Amino acid sequence: MKIKLLNDGGYSGHEGFAFTKKFPITANLMRIDGGISDGLAYVSGEEMINIGCVCDREEVFNSPFSFYIGYECEIINE
């Protein structure tokens, strides 16, 4: 499964990040916590780098990133 990021940054808890690719951006999904329509979708730090996410603090990519489903991303079944 994949997710599509719904807005151009401004994600809750992800201050200081930018994307080098144009939106919409899709990413490989790591896991979902909660419901598929209102839970959290997780993307690995490595995948965030692969989709063009940059940050001046490289250590943040050691942990997964979470996005609110329905607000910050949507699930894509592929």
Side-chain angles (χ1 to χ4, degrees), residues 3 11 16 19 30 32 41-42 49 51-52 54 67 71-72 75:
I3 64 168
Y11 303 108
F19 290 89
M30 200 171 129
I32 295 173
Y42 289 86
I49 292 169
I51 64 171
V54 293
F67 299 93
Y71 176 68
E72 297 174 333
I75 304 298

Side-chain angles (χ1 to χ4, degrees), residues 1 3 17-18 22 24 31-32 44 46 49 54 59 63-64 67 70 74-75:
M1 292 173 97
I3 64 168
F17 294 85
K22 287 188 151 196
R31 73 175 191 272
I32 295 173
S44 71
E46 181 179 342
I49 292 169
V54 293
E59 69 276 3
S63 299
F67 299 93
E74 64 183 32
I75 304 298

Side-chain angles (χ1 to χ4, degrees), residues 9-17 48 55 57 60 64-68 71-72:
Y11 303 108
S12 176
H14 298 307
E15 292 80 18
F17 294 85
M48 290 296 288
C55 181
R57 299 181 335 259
V60 300
F65 289 67
S66 62
F67 299 93
Y68 290 104
Y71 176 68
E72 297 174 333

